[in-house]
Structures are given as structure tokens and as C-alpha cells.
């Protein structure tokens, strides 16, 4: 019988589940589809309500995963097949080629400096750029370069190879092939996280047409010291500091007309956090938050909102947003909304608008559900065995879920569920071992 | 390693991206470090905490035979364990490592004065090197961890935690104050979202607990006293009037919460038709709810008060509870009109929002009020109730006739939590709930090793959230119990027996009861209990007590260096 556990998803939930198990002596395979673990939390500037620097509190855990003798970190990898046999799972994992020898690469970054192919940086939601050979962010774990064959000039045009010539460790290997690994595990923990709803289809908001209309995650990168502007908050249209920013809540969520009916649970408070950050960057700026219901439901959140109002002068307006128009010359934005207390249609002008989109389950959940015979809910979140009494269990014994992939929740809730999923996996190991042994 | 020979200090100065490097001239600090006494090697790095940065430390330890390491970077709170283990991996005792926090204590607070910040960073490095030069290797004693846990509170959270630990093959002592297990679940009617009767769920839990041989249940029992430390707690409980002592390796606090009784608010207590949501649940459960014509529910009663010293937190579950109970009433009495008077509808997540939409479609009336203009309840001479509310959506005042007014009051910390907090030496937050080690990253740990928290004792939450947290506490508590051993604090006090006069000052002052006199009348420190706070060392009239890792010589060297002398 195997005593190992497979964890899918290297965000904070997957990291926590892996560490809890590894720290009790359980062998863990942690699979992450991207070149680095860290997930969404790595992209955040600060976290509410404590205003901890997000990467600063996350990085030690990422590195602990990397260095842990009980954790096999399988980044840039995906699960392709799962077979159940005698209470265990045999799992096929595909390691995609990085075209860089992980043993040789030291993460020095010479290749990235010289690579001529620029690509929008996914980590910065496309606001900045990376190269075709890249490390997704400075604290990436593992800190190893990866070649993106879709943009690499060698793969697309059979030219260049500059990285290979310049690499001081001779680590670039264009011949690298995908590698298949087979592992046998007692349990699987899913922690695949969330994606952002793309509001481009809601034409009234003009997202992707108006330069100064951003997603909240884009703003997060813009105000982050490690972001594309080095933490300088400026308008994408002209590089000028904005004087008035408006947040629009529930973009695509709590929708009565066909987008997503549920509440994403974290937007009211992260908008509050981002507002405070904006005020700290530019004290004279005006910040407005247009909201339906202010959902400050977690520990210390209401107090945090009260602070944003009193100490920072963030203005909260109960409103149904109508639409946004752009001044073609100044690129300023006109926001139309129904003021809920008065019922009047109102408008005002802002230099920047931040949309807080619905957070949605990962597309890949469908594939995973199919491979593992799991049930999804109508939105594509993994379904709990019992939403009341068995939130981290699924319809398949031995497969557990935690974090946002189970439904909307914040970081501490994700961590609690992740530790919870680890406990369930530990229970399973103990039961199976003891029963088999007795 | 040549720990006893000549001192070789290595200094690693971190840019932390632009966090430090954007203000402090890191190369200048590195050059300065090279000039300090005992420093054999110094370098800068973009992120010293990256795997690359850590390998560099390890390489330098070997290459330059470093026997003391200083990292000038961020806070030891998050990063010291990492750098210490890098030192250990290179064969250096981890207590030969020292950290200078030139980010929080320098670059972040002086972003507009780069020159002065650079000077300050140099001074901080000078201090760190001075202390590091005098550091000595320390040992962390290992102790055994008993494979048994105490779970305090027999509600959903406590029972779940107990079951999980029992399934991990640990012995669990489950202590419940009341005469039966179940907690608040005993008082509830139907639960959302599964639409189950609370009594059915409770029965499942009770079955599981009863049939698990690893769980020992103590009802009508309370915790009276606790001593010891992770791995070896000795907890005295009062079990049905008799005192018993339990030896456990870990403790989980799952004592739950109470519901605020809104005395003096909205005429509560003046009419039997003004009840809390919990009282409504009991009426429905006991089938005592007579068909009301009109029901008005008022949200945020005594919650989100928005004033200094008020109960300012949001109790998270009340809106969902109100919506659920409105739907229940509608199911029992389809003709009854239900209005919910609210400020912000907190039906977060996917299931609760759906329920809210269902209630709106099912003709529950939602009326929004503002905190500055709360509703009022009046009792007519004939006993009928009126709720007067200023509806901000129509900007008009409504008078709602009502046979039943239901007040949604928040979950609050239990009265006896203060006592438990003192017994276990774990803190309560400003909202009265138990306060975890880190709000973001350690939601179920206490700062004290071996003690954990889950459920509504931590903050208001739903049953599913309590269950998840209970599993989490069972995971965290299961770690040291599975390993069977833990390493304890190395930074402890020790007594110079020749100087000790046995005056007992330290014994009286020690907050951890870690010092006792031995048979010769000389003070003796229990290394496992000692947390290294230093109170004893500071107050000993004979200066007979010294702190490991914080000796007078080390602290003085650091202070002298701060004053510019090296």
C-alpha cells in the first residue's frame, strides 16, 4: 500500500496541504501546471486585513516546499491519467519540457536579459512583458528558466539560440522531450484555485477597449513593487498619476442576467485593501467603491472597512453601475450608476476604473473531474461530498478538495481547508495501514 | 566547523528587489561590511531568500570557512527559520546565525532619505556583526510527545476534530461542559444548504463519536487547570464534580460561541413575540410556532455598530440564517408575509447567494436601512407589534405590522472563555474571540506550541466552515503527535549556581512557572517550560541568571556597536 499523497495545484492551499503532510513524515508529490509554485497569492501586493506583504509571507512556505525532503515538486507538469486500484491511485504525470536543464540552471537570468523575443507577462496580467525564456517572477520556486516554445525564435523561425550561446551553465537544451512519471498514492488533494472572469463580453464596461479600465488583479500588479511599473501607480494611457479611481464591484458576479449568480466572497474586502494601498501611494487621490452590499464577513474585516473610511477617506457608494464611456481624447472615463439611496441616475468622471470581476473555477477542472470521476457543480467548482458535514471530501473516497476550487473563499479559509484535507488524507493512511497490518 | 577557533563572519545583504535596494545603497553596505572586525566575506544579492541566494550562503560557509553568518534583509519573523536551516545544511549550528532587519526597520520607514537610510543600514549591519561574533552554538532539547489529545468543547467543531484525531489513531479526551454533546446543533431546526434537520446531523455525529473506541467523552466537565507544554500537558478537569488529571500531547479549543441576547434593544424581553433567530429556530423545532401573519426580521442587532468601543464586527452568518428561516417560515405557512430589514445582505459565496435570490423570488420582502437611521419596534396596547423603518431604497418611512419580530443578533464569545484563556495562556482578540498565531497564514494555531483553535471560538462561521477548521486543527495537532518528538526552545535562562542566593524573586516573576528551587535552595530552570522571555535575568538582584543567545556580553556588544564603537 502506498502512503504517499498527490497534491494538485501549487497555490497557498496546495502548499499548505503539502507541508502539513510532509511535516508529519508523509511523502508528497506536488504538481503545478505553471513553471513556479505560488499561485494567486504570489501575484498579490498585500493581504487583508493585516496588510502583510503577500510574497514576503508566502515565499518562506514556497521555499520550504522546495527544500522539504518529503516533497517532490513537479512544476510545469500536469496529471494525465488516474487509475484506482485496491484503494490506491496510480497517477500518470506529464512533465512538460522547459528546454532548460533543471540540474544545470542556476537562475542567474543572463538568458532572459539577452533573449530578443518579448511576450506579455502573464504574471502581470499582460501589463508588463517577459521574454520567451523566462522565470515567471523574481521569487519563483524553483528559480529555473523555462523556454516558451510558442514565442521562442528558435522554435518559431529556427533562428537565434542566443540563450544557448550565452548560458554560463550550458543549461539550455532545445532537444528536451516531455517526460512521463508514474506515481502510486493513497490520496489525492485538489487545490486548483480560480481564474478571473473576463469582463470583455460585458460591453458596457469597455474592458479591453478602454485603456484606463483595469481588472483588480492588474491594479494589484501595478501597485506592487515587483510589478511592471515598480510600484508606481500610473494610468496605462499616458503614464500620469490618476487623481480619481473608481472601483466597480460584482462585475459578472451576483448577476441576475446570465453571467455568474454567486458572490465571489473576497472582492469587497480586497477592493478596500487596494483602496488603502492606493491612498498610501498617492495620498491626495480620491477613491470610490461602487457596491451592492458591503460584504466584510471575515475576522477583522468590518473593522478594516471602517478604517478605510475613517483613516483613509475611501468613499463607499451603494450603487447599481450602469456603464462606462471613455473620452476619446483625455481617455478619462465617465461612470454612470444608479445611486441606491436616492434611486437617481448619476455619473461622474474618473481617471481610472478598476473592475472587480467574478472569480471562476479553472477550466481544467472539467478535465480533472473526468479523469478522476469527480462531480462538479453547475459552475465547475468541485463538489463536496456533503456541503455541511464533509466539505473537503468528494464523491470519490481518497480524493479531497480545498481552497477556491471548492467554492469562493479567502486565504485563511483556504489554508484551513488545506490543512483539513491533509488531515483527511492522514486519516486514510492510518486507517489503511492499520487495517492492512492487523 | 571551526566554531571554537578564529571568528569568521559572513555578511549577506539583500536587495529584496526594490524593497531594500530601491532605497539603501546595497553595494555600499556590502563594502562597508567587509571593513568590519571578524568579517571574512560579504556580498549582496537580489533575493537572499531565493534558492539561489541560499545556495550562495551555503557555498560561502564552506569556501571561506565561515562560522558566523549575518543576513541583512527583512524580518526574522518570516525568514529566520529559512536562513537558519541553510546554515544547518552547511554544517553550522543555526544559532550562529544573526539577522539585521534593514527592510522594516530601515528602507520601508525611510523611503525618502536614501543616504541616511544607507548609513542606518550600515550601523545595523555593524551591530549584527558585533553580536554575531559573540554567538555560541545552542542545542534544542528533544522531548517526547504523548499520542493523545484534549479537545475542549463537544459541538460540531469539537466532535469533528476528535473524530479526525481518533481516526489518525490517537487517543482523544473530549470534554463537554453540558450534560450532552452537540453544542448549538441541539438548538437548531433545519440547516442550509443541505436542508437536513439539525437533529439528524447531530445523531450522525453522536453515532460516530460513540462508536469510536479512541474517543473518551467527559460530559458535564470543565477545564480547571493546565500545566506543561507541547507533548506533555497535564490538564485537570472537573468531571461531574470530581477532579481528574489528563496527560495529553496537544490541546484543541473548540468551545464555540454564544448568541447575543439583545437586552434593551428593540423591546426585546417586553413581548414574547420578539425573539432572536435562535429562539425562532427553537420554536420551529418544537413545533410551537403559531402561524404568524407578518414576520419582520431585523439584521445587525448589536453588530456592525460602527462606533468606538462597540461590537463592530460582522457576525457573518446572520443574513444567511435570516434568509434560511424566512424560507422555512414560508414553507410552513405559505400565506405568511416575511420582511427582512437589513443593511448589507451578507449572503457570500455560491450557495447562500442562491438562497437569497430564491427568497427574493419567493416574495420575502427585503428592506434596506442605514446604520445612522436604525429601525424601531413599538408594542401596541393590544400587544401587536409595529416596526418602523426608513427604507433607503424608496427614501421613505414604512410602518410594518408584525405578529413576530425576529432579531438577528451576532455570535459572541462565551462568558467563560476569559477563564479558559487564562488557564491555557492563549490570547483573546479585541472582538473577544480566541486570537490565532497569524490571521492570514496560521488560522488554527495559537502562538503557544501544541494548542489549537477551531470553530466559532475563533470567529463566527458556518457549520461547514467549522468542520473544515476542525479538520485543520486535527491536522496541525496530528503533526507533532505523529512524529512523537519535538524540538523545544533553545533560548532559555540558566542559573549561575554560585551566585544564586535563593531569594526566589525569579520564581515569583516567571510567567511560565519554569523556575523552582532545588534541594539546596538554588533556583533551577525547567528548559522545556522556559520561553526565554528574560524577565528573571533582568530582575535577578545577584545577576545570577543569564539568557542563552542573549547574554549580557552579546547585548552590550550590539549596543556598543550601535553607538559607533566596534
Amino acid at each position: 500500500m502506498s502512503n504517499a499523497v498527490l497534491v494538485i495545484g501549487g497555490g497557498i492551499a496546495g502548499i499548505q496541504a503539502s507541508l502539513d503532510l510532509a511535516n508529519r513524515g508523509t511523502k508528497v508529490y506536488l504538481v503545478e501546471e505553471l513553471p513556479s509554485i505560488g499561485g494567486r497569492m504570489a501575484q498579490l501586493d498585500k493581504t487583508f486585513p493585516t496588510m502583510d506583504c503577500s510574497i514576503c509571507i508566502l515565499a518562506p512556505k514556497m521555499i520550504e516546499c522546495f527544500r522539504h525532503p518529503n516533497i517532490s515538486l513537479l512544476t510545469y507538469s500536469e496529471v494525465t491519467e488516474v487509475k484506482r486500484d485496491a484503494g490506491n491511485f496510480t497517477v500518470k504525470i506529464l512533465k512538460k519540457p522547459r528546454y532548460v536543464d533543471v540540474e544545470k540552471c542556476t537562475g542567474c537570468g543572463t538568458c532572459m536579459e539577452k533573449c530578443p523575443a518579448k511576450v506579455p507577462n502573464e504574471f502581470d496580467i499582460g501589463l508588463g512583458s517577459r521574454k520567451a525564456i523566462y522565470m515567471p517572477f523574481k521569487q519563483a520556486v524553483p528559480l529555473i528558466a523555462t523556454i516558451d516554445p510558442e514565442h521562442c525564435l528558435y522554435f518559431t523561425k529556427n533562428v537565434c539560440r542566443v540563450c544557448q550561446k550565452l548560458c554560463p551553465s550550458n543549461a539550455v537544451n532545445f532537444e528536451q522531450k516531455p517526460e512521463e512519471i508514474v506515481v502510486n498514492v493513497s490520496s489525492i488533494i485538489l487545490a486548483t484555485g480560480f481564474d478571473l472572469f473576463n469582463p470583455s463580453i460585458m460591453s458596457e464596461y469597455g474592458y479591453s477597449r478602454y485603456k484606463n479600465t483595469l481588472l483588480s488583479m492588474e491594479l494589484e500588479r501595478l501597485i506592487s513593487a515587483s510589478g511592471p511599473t515598480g510600484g508606481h501607480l500610473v494610468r496605462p494611457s499616458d503614464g500620469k498619476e490618476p487623481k480619481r479611481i473608481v472601483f466597480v464591484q460584482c462585475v459578472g458576479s451576483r448577476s441576475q442576467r446570465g453571467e455568474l449568480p454567486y458572490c465571489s466572497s473576497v472582492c469587497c474586502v480586497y477592493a478596500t485593501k487596494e483602496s488603502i494601498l492606493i491612498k498610501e501611494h498617492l495620498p491626495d487621490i480620491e477613491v470610490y467603491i461602487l457596491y451592492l452590499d458591503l460584504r466584510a464577513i471575515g475576522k477583522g474585516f468590518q473593522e478594516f472597512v471602517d478604517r478605510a473610511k475613517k483613516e483613509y477617506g475611501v468613499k463607499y457608494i451603494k450603487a447599481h453601475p450602469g456603464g462606462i464611456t471613455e473620452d476619446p481624447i483625455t481617455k478619462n472615463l465617465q461612470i454612470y450608476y444608479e445611486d441606491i439611496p436616492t434611486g437617481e441616475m448619476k455619473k461622474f468622471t474618473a481617471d481610472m476604473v478598476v473592475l472587480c470581476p467574478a472569480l471562476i473555477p479553472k477550466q481544467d477542472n472539467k478535465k480533472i473531474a473526468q479523469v478522476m470521476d469527480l462531480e462538479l457543480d453547475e459552475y465547475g467548482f468541485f463538489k463536496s461530498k456533503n456541503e455541511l458535514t464533509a466539505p473537503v471530501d468528494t464523491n470519490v473516497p481518497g480524493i479531497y478538495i480545498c481552497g477556491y476550487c471548492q467554492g469562493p473563499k479567502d486565504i485563511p479559509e483556504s489554508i484551513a481547508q488545506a490543512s483539513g484535507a491533509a488531515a483527511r488524507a492522514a486519516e486514510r493512511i492510518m486507517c489503511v495501514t492499520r487495517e492492512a497490518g492487523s | 566547523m571551526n566554531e571554537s577557533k578564529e571568528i569568521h563572519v559572513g555578511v549577506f545583504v539583500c536587495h529584496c528587489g526594490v524593497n531594500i535596494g530601491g532605497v539603501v545603497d546595497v553595494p555600499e553596505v556590502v563594502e562597508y561590511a567587509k571593513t568590519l572586525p571578524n568579517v571574512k566575506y560579504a556580498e549582496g544579492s537580489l533575493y537572499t531568500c531565493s534558492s539561489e541566494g541560499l545556495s550562495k550562503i551555503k557555498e560561502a560557509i564552506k569556501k571561506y570557512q565561515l562560522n558566523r553568518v549575518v543576513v541583512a534583509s527583512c524580518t526574522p519573523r518570516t525568514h529566520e527559520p529559512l536562513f537558519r536551516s541553510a546554515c544547518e545544511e552547511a554544517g553550522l549550528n543555526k544559532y550562529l546565525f544573526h539577522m539585521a532587519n534593514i527592510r522594516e526597520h530601515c528602507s520601508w520607514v525611510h523611503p525618502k532619505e536614501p543616504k541616511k537610510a544607507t548609513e542606518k543600514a550600515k550601523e545595523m549591519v555593524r551591530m549584527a556583526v558585533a553580536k554575531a561574533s559573540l554567538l555560541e552554538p545552542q542545542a534544542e532539547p528533544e522531548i517526547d510527545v504523548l499520542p493523545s489529545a484534549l479537545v475542549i468543547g463537544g459541538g460540531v467543531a469539537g466532535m469533528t476534530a476528535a473524530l479526525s484525531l481518533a481516526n489518525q489513531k490517537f487517543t482523544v479526551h473530549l470534554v463537554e461542559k453540558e450534560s450532552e454533546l452537540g453544542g448549538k446543533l441541539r438548538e437548531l431546526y433545519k440547516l442550509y444548504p443541505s436542508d437536513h434537520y439539525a437533529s439528524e446531523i447531530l445523531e450522525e455525529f453522536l453515532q460516530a463519536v460513540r462508536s469510536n473506541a479512541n474517543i473518551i467523552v467527559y460530559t458535564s466537565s470543565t477545564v480547571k487547570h493546565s500545566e506543561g507544554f507541547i507533548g506533555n500537558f497535564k490538564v485537570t478537569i472537573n468531571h461531574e464534580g470530581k477532579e481528574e488529571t489528563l496527560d495529553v500531547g496537544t490541546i484543541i479549543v473548540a468551545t464555540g460561541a454564544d448568541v447575543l441576547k439583545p437586552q434593551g434593544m428593540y423591546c426585546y424581553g417586553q413581548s414574547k413575540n420578539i425573539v432572536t433567530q435562535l429562539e425562532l429556530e427553537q420554536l420551529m423545532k418544537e413545533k410551537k410556532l403559531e402561524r404568524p401573519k407578518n414576520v419582520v426580521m431585523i439584521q445587525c442587532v448589536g453588530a456592525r455598530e460602527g462606533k468606538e468601543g462597540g461590537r463592530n464586527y460582522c457576525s457573518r452568518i446572520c443574513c444567511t440564517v435570516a434568509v434560511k428561516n424566512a424560507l422555512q417560515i414560508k414553507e410552513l405557512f405559505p400565506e405568511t408575509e416575511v420582511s427582512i430589514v437589513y443593511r448589507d445582505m451578507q449572503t457570500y459565496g455560491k450557495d447562500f447567494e442562491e438562497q437569497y435570490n430564491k427568497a427574493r423570488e419567493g416574495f420575502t420582502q427585503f428592506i434596506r436601512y442605514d446604520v445612522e437611521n436604525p429601525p424601531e419596534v413599538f408594542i401596541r396596547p393590544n400587544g401587536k407589534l409595529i416596526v418602523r423603518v426608513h427604507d433607503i431604497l424608496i427614501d421613505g418611512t414604512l410602518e410594518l405590522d408584525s405578529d413576530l419580530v425576529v432579531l438577528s443578533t451576532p455570535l459572541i464569545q462565551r462568558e467563560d472563555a476569559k477563564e479558559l484563556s487564562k488557564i491555557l495562556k492563549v490570547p483573546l482578540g479585541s472582538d473577544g474571540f480566541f486570537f490565532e498565531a497569524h490571521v492570514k497564514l496560521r488560522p488554527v494555531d495559537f502562538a503557544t506550541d501544541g494548542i489549537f483553535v477551531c470553530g466559532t471560538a475563533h470567529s463566527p462561521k458556518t457549520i461547514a466552515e467549522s468542520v473544515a477548521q476542525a479538520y485543520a486543527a486535527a491536522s496541525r495537532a496530528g503533526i507533532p503527535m505523529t512524529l512523537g518528538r519535538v524540538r523545544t526552545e533553545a533560548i532559555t535562562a540558566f542559573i549561575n549556581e554560585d551566585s544564586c542566593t535563593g531569594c526566589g524573586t525569579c520564581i515569583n516573576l516567571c510567567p511560565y512557572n519554569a523556575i523552582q528551587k532545588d534541594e539546596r535552595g538554588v533556583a533551577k530552570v525547567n528548559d522545556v517550560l522556559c520561553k526565554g522571555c528574560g524577565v528573571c535575568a533582568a530582575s535577578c538582584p545577584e545577576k545570577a541568571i543569564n539568557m542563552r543567545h542573549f547574554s549580557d556580553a552579546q547585548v552590550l556588544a550590539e549596543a556598543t556597536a550601535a553607538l559607533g564603537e566596534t
Side-chain angles (χ1 to χ4, degrees), chain A residues 12 16 20 23-25 41 47-50 52-53 56-61 63-64 66-67 106-108 138-139 143 225-226 230 254 256 261-263 265 291-299 302-303 306 310 318 340-342 377-379 381-382 386-393 406-408 411-413 415-417 419-420 422-424 426-427 430-431 434, chain B residues 18-19 46-47 49-52 54 58 78-79 82 85-86 89 103 108 163-164 167-170 191-194 196 201 204-205 304 306 312-314 316 342-351 353-354 356-357 360 368-370 392-393 395 431 433-436 438-441 443-444 458-459 463-465 467-469 471-472 474-476 478-479 482-483:
Chain A
I12 182 62
Q16 184 66 40
D20 265 25
N23 283 338
R24 68 162 71 209
M41 193 175 162
T47 60
F48 59 77
T50 49
D52 277 305
C53 159
C56 305
I57 58 173
L58 177 66
K61 282 182 179 267
I63 294 169
E64 202 183 336
F66 179 69
R67 292 152 38 90
T106 61
C108 71
K138 286 176 181 131
Q139 300 90 335
L143 198 68
S226 66
R254 299 189 66 197
Q256 305 282 338
Y262 62 83
C263 159
S265 287
Y291 72 100
L292 294 175
D293 292 284
L294 196 69
R295 293 188 171 167
I297 46 166
K299 194 165 182 169
Q302 184 63 47
E303 296 87 332
D306 293 344
K310 283 177 199 144
K318 288 187 177 110
I340 292 177
T342 60
D377 72 5
E378 62 265 50
Y379 313 113
F381 292 110
F382 291 111
N386 180 320
E387 56 268 83
L388 260 179
T389 55
V392 301
D393 290 40
Q406 186 259 352
I411 292 170
E413 285 177 84
I415 289 180
Q417 270 201 346
S419 284
R424 298 294 286 157
E427 285 178 47
M430 287 311 291
C431 289
R434 287 295 168 96
Chain B
V18 295
N19 278 303
L46 190 59
Y47 288 100
C49 64
S50 65
S51 36
E52 185 200 356
L54 297 173
K58 289 191 268 184
T78 55
H79 282 63
L82 193 65
S85 32
E89 282 164 25
R103 190 180 71 182
W108 276 1
L163 282 166
S164 179
N167 288 337
Q168 294 172 43
K169 309 296 175 196
F170 300 115
L191 304 171
Y192 186 74
S194 66
H196 278 93
I201 303 266
E204 282 172 31
F205 270 107
R304 298 174 76 212
N312 290 328
Y313 62 87
C314 163
R316 188 175 179 101
Y342 74 105
R343 283 165 55 197
D344 291 288
M345 212 55 197
Q346 309 284 24
T347 45
Y348 61 96
K350 51 178 189 170
D351 301 325
E353 185 71 12
E354 278 168 18
Y356 173 39
N357 289 332
R360 283 201 286 192
R368 192 161 183 168
Y369 76 93
D370 202 70
I392 62 165
L393 299 184
D395 195 17
D431 55 8
F433 291 95
F434 281 102
F435 193 60
E436 62 273 37
H438 192 282
V439 177
K440 216 68 197 175
L441 292 184
V444 301
H458 162 275
S459 69
I463 289 176
E465 289 158 0
V467 168
Q469 265 204 344
Y471 282 139
S475 172
R476 308 293 293 162
I479 294 170
T482 304
L483 296 176

Side-chain angles (χ1 to χ4, degrees), chain A residues 31-149:
Chain A
V31 172
E32 164 60 48
E33 61 171 342
L34 298 177
S36 170
I37 56 169
R40 291 293 179 186
M41 193 175 162
Q43 290 176 290
L44 305 180
D45 184 37
K46 302 257 161 91
T47 60
F48 59 77
T50 49
M51 292 307 237
D52 277 305
C53 159
S54 191
I55 189 70
C56 305
I57 58 173
L58 177 66
K61 282 182 179 267
M62 292 162 62
I63 294 169
E64 202 183 336
C65 280
F66 179 69
R67 292 152 38 90
H68 208 294
N70 293 335
I71 299 179
S72 286
L73 202 53
L74 301 165
T75 46
Y76 211 45
S77 300
E78 54 190 70
V79 170
T80 52
E81 195 185 296
V82 175
K83 272 193 191 148
R84 272 189 270 179
D85 63 285
N88 272 15
F89 301 91
T90 303
V91 184
K92 273 190 192 158
I93 299 161
L94 185 81
K95 274 184 91 169
K96 292 180 272 184
R98 285 176 189 263
Y99 305 107
V100 171
D101 187 329
V102 298
E103 302 298 325
K104 290 182 186 164
C105 175
T106 61
C108 71
T110 309
C111 53
M112 290 158 56
E113 266 170 49
K114 303 296 176 190
C115 171
K118 267 194 181 178
V119 185
N121 188 352
E122 304 86 349
F123 189 75
D124 289 334
I125 329 290
L127 285 179
S129 62
R130 62 163 171 87
K131 299 295 183 62
I133 185 163
Y134 70 109
M135 289 177 262
F137 53 101
K138 286 176 181 131
Q139 300 90 335
V141 170
L143 198 68
I144 289 167
T146 302
I147 293 177
D148 161 6

Side-chain angles (χ1 to χ4, degrees), chain B residues 291-461:
Chain B
R291 189 173 73 110
K293 240 176 90 190
N294 306 290
V295 178
V296 179
M297 297 180 175
I298 302 176
Q299 300 305 107
C300 295
V301 173
R304 298 174 76 212
E305 294 176 311
K307 55 188 181 201
E308 203 74 30
R311 202 176 295 100
N312 290 328
Y313 62 87
C314 163
S315 180
R316 188 175 179 101
I317 61 167
C318 329
C319 284
T320 305
V321 168
V323 166
K324 176 200 76 173
N325 285 343
L327 289 170
Q328 295 298 342
I329 290 173
K330 281 282 194 189
E331 202 179 301
L332 292 170
F333 312 112
E335 307 296 311
T336 297
E337 282 185 24
V338 183
S339 307
I340 297 181
V341 179
Y342 74 105
R343 283 165 55 197
D344 291 288
M345 212 55 197
Q346 309 284 24
T347 45
Y348 61 96
K350 51 178 189 170
D351 301 325
F352 303 155
E353 185 71 12
E354 278 168 18
Q355 192 84 340
Y356 173 39
N357 289 332
K358 195 172 146 196
R360 283 201 286 192
E361 286 156 19
F363 307 107
T364 298
Q365 196 186 358
F366 287 85
I367 299 164
R368 192 161 183 168
Y369 76 93
D370 202 70
V371 65
E372 274 93 41
N373 206 351
E376 291 171 282
V377 176
F378 300 98
I379 308 173
R380 287 189 198 208
N382 66 359
K384 288 274 181 196
L385 307 170
I386 305 177
V387 177
R388 185 188 291 160
V389 55
H390 185 84
D391 183 341
I392 62 165
L393 299 184
I394 57 164
D395 195 17
T397 300
L398 301 174
E399 294 208 339
L400 309 167
D401 285 316
S402 169
D403 321 306
L404 182 66
V405 170
V406 186
L407 305 177
S408 292
T409 55
L411 291 180
I412 53 169
Q413 183 54 278
R414 299 165 54 92
E415 271 297 306
D416 47 16
K418 277 190 189 135
E419 200 191 329
L420 188 63
S421 135
K422 277 187 200 138
I423 292 172
L424 299 178
K425 298 191 182 78
V426 292
L428 299 170
S430 58
D431 55 8
F433 291 95
F434 281 102
F435 193 60
E436 62 273 37
H438 192 282
V439 177
K440 216 68 197 175
L441 292 184
R442 296 176 66 191
V444 301
D445 300 0
F446 278 116
T448 308
D449 291 340
I451 311 185
F452 308 89
V453 63
C454 60
T456 52
H458 162 275
S459 69
K461 56 180 63 69

Side-chain angles (χ1 to χ4, degrees), chain A residues 3 24 38 71 174 196 241 253 260 266 291 306 312 326 358 398:
Chain A
N3 280 350
R24 68 162 71 209
I71 299 179
F174 290 105
L196 309 177
E241 287 182 354
S253 50
L260 295 149
V266 290
Y291 72 100
D306 293 344
Y312 292 90
E326 183 193 56

